[in-house]
Amino acid sequence: MTTSNIVLVGFMGTGKSTVGQKLAERLSWTFQDSDAVVEKEQQTTISELFRVHGEAHFRVLESKALEHILGQQGQILATGGGAVLAESNRACMLRHGYVVALQASPETIIQRVRSDQNRPLLQGNLEDRVYMLLEQRKHAYDFAHTTIDTTELTTDQIVEEIIVRAGLKEEGQA
């Protein structure tokens, strides 16, 4: 398999954006965050899109952004946590990239997202919402080429593991 893009999927708080930025830096590739792309195109926040138009509308915009981003090469794409819910998105990711599912323990996720007010799906009791959504999505990331548990790993360790598993060589290495 030729790796033209790396797609990071996983529940919110598993490290997709942090790892993606560091991985792009290491490989001299372009980092893209599908949520950030949607926000830029729509000139509003994801929270506001959810509030005004609902989740279904956001998911349509998200799918269009994924197709656009993955139509290019040399991209590290951090997807929104729910991007994998649509079969068409999963097929697009597999067709255009090496898909890495990042996961973490529920406790780690809760700790990482606790202070983030920009997560519309986490309104209400944070712990209950995280456990409920994790249960609903427990098989949503099974389609990925590989899975890495980020709970006990540093960002650099995760980046190194992705490079090894994807069979990539860094710039200037034989």
Side-chain angles (χ1 to χ4, degrees), residues 60-96:
V60 170
L61 298 173
E62 179 179 57
S63 293
K64 288 179 182 175
L66 290 172
E67 287 180 38
H68 174 73
I69 294 165
L70 292 174
Q72 302 164 57
Q73 294 189 1
Q75 309 284 311
I76 306 296
L77 172 60
T79 64
V84 300
L85 299 177
E87 171 61 35
S88 60
N89 290 350
R90 294 190 301 271
C92 180
M93 292 176 206
L94 288 170
R95 190 170 50 252
H96 297 289

Side-chain angles (χ1 to χ4, degrees), residues 100-115:
V100 179
L102 301 182
Q103 63 184 27
S105 71
E107 297 77 21
T108 299
I109 290 169
I110 291 165
Q111 178 186 2
R112 290 176 182 171
V113 302
R114 182 171 302 285
S115 61

